[in-house]
Amino acid sequence: MQIQNVLIENQHCPLGIDSEQPAFTWSFVETKERGIYQTAYRILVSEDEQSVKENNGTIWDSGLVKSRRNMNVLYQGSKLESRKRYFCKVKVWDQNGEMTESPITWWEMGLLHPTDWTAEWISKPLTESDNHRQPIPQFRYEFNVEKPIKRARIYISGLGHYELRLNGSKVEDRVLEPGWTQYDKTCLYSVYDVTSHLTISTNVIGVILGNGFYHVSGGRYVKFKDSFGEPTFIAQLEIHYMDGTVSVITSNTDWMSSPSPTTFSCIYGGEDYDARLEQSGWDTPHFTQSNLWKRASKAVTPKGKLRAQKTSPLKVMKVFAPVEMKQIKPNVFVADLGQNFSGWVKLRVKGLSGASVKLIPAELLNEDGSPNQTWTGSPYEYNYTLKGTDVETWNPLFTYYGFRYVQIEGAIPEGYSAGENSTLPQILSLEGQMIYPDFEASGSFESSDTLLNRTHELINWAILSNTKSVFTDCPHREKLGWLEQVHLMGHPLIYNYPVESLLSKVMDDTQDAQLPNGMVPTTAPEYVVFEEPWDIFRHSVSWGATYILAGWMMYQKYGNTNVLQEHYENMKKYIQFIEGRSENYIVKDGLGDWYDVGPNGPGFAQNTPVPLPETAMFYHLVQVLEEISRVIDKKEDTPTYIALGEEIKAAYNKEFFIPATGQYATGSQAANAMSLALDLVEKPYQPKVLQNLIDDIVNQGFHTTSGDVAHRFVLLALAENDRSDIIFKMTRNTDYPSYGYQIEHGATALTEAWDGPTVGKSQNHFMLGHLEEWLYSGLAGLNYTFDPIEEAYQFTIKPYYEKTLQWVKTKQELYTGKTFTHWKHNNHSLSLEVQIPANSTGEVYIPAASIDMLKENGVSIFEAEGVEFVRFDNGYAVLQILSGHYLFESILVNKEKEKSDEHPTVPNTL
């Protein structure tokens, strides 16, 4: 057993931690050796590296703790101090009592107390007017460094967004900093190591300040117009010298400000830049300031508390070059970047001073080939005015959009003729830059089926396009954090990407948005408030449910109990709110199964009475909060939630269930599936309700009629009742409504509605991507959860072995290490390759006619190391396995011989 990495607050060597109890997580080096697990750990923390080397935890020595836990172990040592760097290492003991230790790592604390900030919030000079056509401001401050530097840190927050520069260069490659928040509750700051940026001479800090969601002033398309105040920032540079002294440079009214060349900037409407207004060297030493530069103003301090940003920063993560360029009319061109994504355009251009290039991005095209922004917010555009130098390069700073196509006006792409208008600028290159958090995918899915693979890709392009500092609904029209998709698509998020920190931010954002009466609004941060009679868009249970369900997922998948402790009381308030506005435990209004499939087109629920999904989710939340009360030792509350759950279930069945037919309410897929999946159906009626669900799907030609909320539960109800064969047949469809229909009609990211590009709506939503969960957990069979008794992962590997597929494989990088499943078969045998990471155990299901027909690496199951036969279960051999790498093979029975057998010895999937 070897430790691979130690993370503090899910980060490697982080700067600016402001948690007084940072969480430690360590992973293990992948090994094929079996049965490796941790029996104890010891964490050592000191202020100096040498002490840790000598096994001396001067700040914290956990002592030897007998536990298998290796995730989210909370610091329990002396009080941590602002700015300090702490060194640490972890020792672990394996099943044989042998000890190994991690490399030494470190973290730095941020500014823990308001008094740590001596800087002032500042904004543009008061003499400048505030309107949407006013250029955004830039700031500079010149200072001297006269002796060798040991280290230097800048602590900075700029609202809505900022770009930080030092001595003429951008500091790091982050974009759209800081993350969006409920600014009257929380404002995020970031920490930069700028030691290498400073020189022993004159230095200059530069800041460009953008509006973001802090100040939406309009001027072009906006979803809403609102402002938390004038854009403002606070910056504190702390320089620690080799001689032990410290100097602090702070933002104040001695800083100078002038209008920047960005003449228009709106998170919704786009950005304009006039390169003729550039002041060369403005952010470098010895710059001669013109009369444009005036002293900054002291700003009104934002209401929100300053907190360190703990999510991965946004960066340009992918780049797309045009796959096609078309001229649609004289001197107007449209570039096709080949992929729908979210981000911005980067332009390289050459031309005369004063010439202007207009770029109009869009997801779809009109019949004449021009951009169609009907469903994505219009007008949105970029305008660049040239200064007339040799080659000019530009990209926006404080806005982004979802698009695939870009219309170019006022310039000629390289290789085309300008005709008589030879003075037009020449586009040397144009590329799309995709923006999402700086992380690598932690999971992957592949199969022998092209349509399944393309569906997986379709969903993931939409996930990444809508993953910013919040999980947005779309990257253009709204860009709001609609909450329902976070819990309904939570498992696909977790399977594919390292999102614990982002989920933690969702919890914080939701807490900030929660009303005093306990209501959790449908969006967090809540920038748009829906008033009566549209308040159903504000208080729907399936949206507010994320506050409880996301926290529970973080426990199940990351062993994070701290998030449950922190938010438990507010979760209770939310349940009290729902109960208070219910009538005899039935929640009467909300959005129900939003965007279901029916004759009226997507939008308001039409197949299922709204109270059914609302009440079903109410019951589900009470069940989960009951579990949470046990996990965090709030057992005095457990009987309350047991009793409340019984009341809701009884009321639900009285209101919606029809015993004579075995149907719920209208008998829609949503009604029956949610009742089954959320354990609301009494056991004697379950087979009939399941059959009704299946019959409806079959009658619909294996199509869904469910929407944003219920589609996940349709898939869960089928998968949990061993009817993945129905799900697989649903994936075969390429007619409406289906994922295949979207693909067949040119979608490159999952669309808002099932009709994809053929009708309209957003072409980049991930809310209907529920199949992704089944691809991993159902088809590939990869399931795991944090075991509260063992304090480690317990895996259940139970694939759906579809006979028309040749193979399916998936993998995921977990905190513990790598896990994967890979099954394949031919007419005579099936193989299942499995990797269970260290410190974990698993239960594996393999079709087998008898135990004699099952081998592991060529030997009998009874001879295989780390394998224990448990039982036969409906044609599956169930095996308990330890950590390690396994290759199982099962000799299949000829199915033709079993047709007359009412109880076949292998599942009907093969």
Side-chain angles (χ1 to χ4, degrees), residues 579-848:
E579 183 180 4
R581 58 180 295 272
S582 67
E583 297 179 20
N584 296 320
Y585 305 107
I586 302 298
V587 182
K588 291 294 188 178
D589 67 353
L591 292 173
D593 189 24
W594 178 250
Y595 257 59
D596 59 357
V597 180
N600 299 329
F604 290 100
Q606 49 195 310
N607 301 324
T608 311
V610 164
L612 187 146
E614 298 291 318
T615 307
M617 289 304 299
F618 177 28
Y619 175 75
H620 184 39
L621 296 183
V622 170
Q623 296 290 96
V624 170
L625 201 57
E626 176 194 325
E627 293 294 324
I628 292 172
S629 70
R630 290 190 177 98
V631 165
I632 62 173
D633 201 24
K634 300 287 186 179
K635 294 185 176 65
E636 66 275 11
D637 293 335
T638 305
T640 300
Y641 296 122
I642 292 174
L644 179 57
E646 290 172 350
E647 295 282 4
I648 299 168
K649 187 171 184 176
Y652 181 90
N653 280 294
K654 181 180 179 181
E655 180 80 9
F656 301 116
F657 186 53
I658 307 168
T661 60
Q663 301 276 22
Y664 277 83
T666 56
S668 66
Q669 292 177 22
N672 288 330
M674 292 191 74
S675 303
L676 282 166
L678 297 177
D679 196 29
L680 282 155
V681 184
E682 298 293 351
K683 193 168 184 178
Y685 296 107
Q686 289 173 5
K688 181 60 175 174
V689 176
L690 175 64
Q691 192 59 51
N692 285 333
L693 170 63
I694 292 170
D695 288 347
D696 189 80
I697 294 171
V698 173
N699 290 337
Q700 297 289 339
F702 293 95
H703 289 99
T704 187
T705 60
S706 55
D708 177 21
V709 173
H711 187 54
R712 177 180 185 242
F713 298 108
V714 170
L715 302 180
L716 283 179
L718 293 170
E720 290 173 354
N721 287 281
D722 293 324
R723 293 311 306 264
S724 281
D725 58 312
I726 301 294
I727 299 175
F728 182 73
K729 288 177 181 176
M730 295 171 77
T731 71
R732 303 296 84 204
N733 286 322
T734 56
D735 57 338
Y736 173 83
S738 65
Y739 298 106
Y741 182 84
Q742 297 183 32
I743 293 168
E744 288 289 308
H745 289 84
T748 59
L750 188 66
T751 64
E752 180 179 12
W754 288 109
D755 50 31
T758 60
V759 176
K761 303 291 186 182
S762 161
Q763 301 298 296
N764 207 329
H765 266 60
F766 75 94
M767 69 180 187
L768 290 174
H770 308 116
L771 184 73
E772 183 76 357
E773 179 179 359
W774 179 79
L775 294 179
Y776 275 91
S777 65
L779 188 58
L782 178 60
N783 294 277
Y784 59 92
T785 190
F786 182 78
D787 186 324
I789 305 300
E790 296 293 338
E791 293 191 296
Y793 281 137
Q794 171 67 39
F795 286 79
T796 300
I797 309 297
K798 188 180 181 181
Y800 165 62
Y801 300 98
E802 166 56 41
K803 63 185 177 182
T804 64
L805 297 180
Q806 295 175 336
W807 56 269
V808 172
K809 61 183 175 182
T810 189
K811 65 181 178 181
Q812 189 181 12
E813 289 284 350
L814 301 172
Y815 284 148
T816 306
K818 181 187 291 184
T819 183
F820 65 79
T821 65
H822 178 196
W823 65 260
K824 58 183 177 180
H825 71 80
N826 54 40
N827 292 331
H828 308 292
S829 67
L830 177 142
S831 69
L832 173 63
E833 188 177 9
V834 177
Q835 173 78 32
I836 301 294
N839 202 37
S840 307
T841 56
E843 193 172 66
V844 178
Y845 287 71
I846 307 172

Side-chain angles (χ1 to χ4, degrees), residues 62-82:
S62 70
L64 189 145
V65 179
K66 292 184 177 180
S67 171
R68 288 179 60 188
R69 178 181 277 273
N70 70 303
M71 296 176 285
N72 284 297
V73 177
L74 296 183
Y75 173 83
Q76 302 287 344
S78 302
K79 191 171 184 178
L80 299 172
E81 298 180 30
S82 298

Side-chain angles (χ1 to χ4, degrees), residues 312-378:
S312 299
L314 298 177
K315 295 184 179 182
V316 172
M317 300 295 291
K318 295 183 188 297
V319 173
F320 301 96
V323 296
E324 185 178 37
M325 185 77 71
K326 283 187 177 179
Q327 184 169 355
I328 61 171
K329 53 186 174 181
N331 298 326
V332 178
F333 301 83
V334 172
D336 179 359
L337 298 170
Q339 175 62 51
N340 194 355
F341 66 98
S342 70
W344 55 42
V345 173
K346 185 172 183 178
L347 176 71
R348 287 180 66 248
V349 63
K350 181 178 180 180
L352 299 176
S353 176
S356 185
V357 182
K358 181 187 291 290
L359 304 172
I360 303 175
E363 292 187 317
L364 297 171
L365 298 177
N366 296 310
E367 289 186 6
D368 64 357
S370 62
N372 183 339
Q373 294 183 341
T374 302
W375 303 103
T376 54
S378 178

Side-chain angles (χ1 to χ4, degrees), residues 173-176 313-320 341-345 382 395-401 403 432-438 461 463-469 475:
D173 53 355
R174 309 180 191 188
V175 300
L176 297 173
L314 298 177
K315 295 184 179 182
V316 172
M317 300 295 291
K318 295 183 188 297
V319 173
F320 301 96
F341 66 98
S342 70
W344 55 42
V345 173
Y382 306 118
N395 59 260
L397 295 181
F398 304 124
T399 185
Y400 76 98
Y401 203 62
F403 64 102
Q433 297 192 326
M434 186 176 188
I435 296 167
Y436 58 86
D438 182 19
W461 280 114
I463 289 175
L464 286 177
S465 291
N466 286 286
T467 302
K468 297 294 180 281
S469 56

Side-chain angles (χ1 to χ4, degrees), residues 482-592:
W482 289 92
L483 288 174
E484 93 290 0
Q485 60 187 357
V486 177
H487 75 85
L488 292 167
M489 285 291 292
H491 290 277
L493 289 170
I494 290 169
Y495 274 125
N496 285 292
Y497 306 106
V499 292
E500 184 178 6
S501 293
L502 259 173
L503 290 175
S504 180
K505 182 179 181 294
V506 169
M507 296 294 290
D508 293 341
D509 290 341
T510 308
Q511 182 182 56
D512 284 351
Q514 187 176 26
L515 273 61
N517 67 359
M519 191 196 86
V520 173
T522 51
T523 59
E526 190 184 29
Y527 298 139
V528 178
V529 176
F530 295 97
E531 305 286 358
E532 292 184 358
W534 301 109
D535 56 327
I536 58 169
F537 281 95
R538 196 184 189 197
H539 61 228
S540 188
V541 177
S542 293
W543 276 250
T546 279
Y547 194 37
I548 293 173
L549 299 182
W552 183 237
M553 278 191 294
M554 290 178 68
Y555 170 72
Q556 290 183 306
K557 298 304 183 185
Y558 305 118
N560 191 326
T561 53
N562 190 45
V563 72
L564 300 180
Q565 294 279 7
E566 183 179 345
H567 294 278
Y568 180 71
E569 292 301 321
N570 289 64
M571 292 176 179
K572 289 174 62 176
K573 288 181 181 178
Y574 182 47
I575 293 297
Q576 291 164 5
F577 167 79
I578 302 172
E579 183 180 4
R581 58 180 295 272
S582 67
E583 297 179 20
N584 296 320
Y585 305 107
I586 302 298
V587 182
K588 291 294 188 178
D589 67 353
L591 292 173

Side-chain angles (χ1 to χ4, degrees), residues 24 42-63 75-81 84-89 91 104 107:
F24 293 81
R42 180 186 177 194
I43 302 173
L44 298 162
V45 179
S46 295
E47 291 184 17
D48 63 285
E49 187 172 2
Q50 187 59 36
S51 292
V52 177
K53 283 183 181 178
E54 296 171 358
N55 297 318
N56 186 1
T58 59
I59 301 299
W60 182 40
D61 184 342
S62 70
Y75 173 83
Q76 302 287 344
S78 302
K79 191 171 184 178
L80 299 172
E81 298 180 30
K84 277 200 172 181
R85 174 175 289 194
Y86 294 95
F87 297 87
C88 64
K89 71 177 177 182
K91 294 170 174 277
I104 294 174
W107 82 92

Side-chain angles (χ1 to χ4, degrees), residues 123-124 128-137 158-161 180-181 183-184 209-219 221-232 264-271 398-399 527:
S123 59
K124 67 184 182 183
E128 294 182 21
S129 63
D130 177 27
N131 62 70
H132 53 253
R133 290 297 176 186
Q134 188 71 22
I136 64 174
L159 307 176
H161 294 304
W180 310 327
T181 56
Y183 296 109
D184 54 358
L209 190 58
N211 295 309
F213 277 104
Y214 190 77
H215 183 68
V216 183
S217 60
Y221 167 75
V222 288
K223 169 66 178 177
F224 64 92
K225 287 178 67 174
D226 201 1
S227 178
F228 288 87
E230 186 71 20
T232 179
F264 173 85
S265 181
C266 178
I267 193 71
Y268 283 117
E271 205 158 283
F398 304 124
T399 185
Y527 298 139

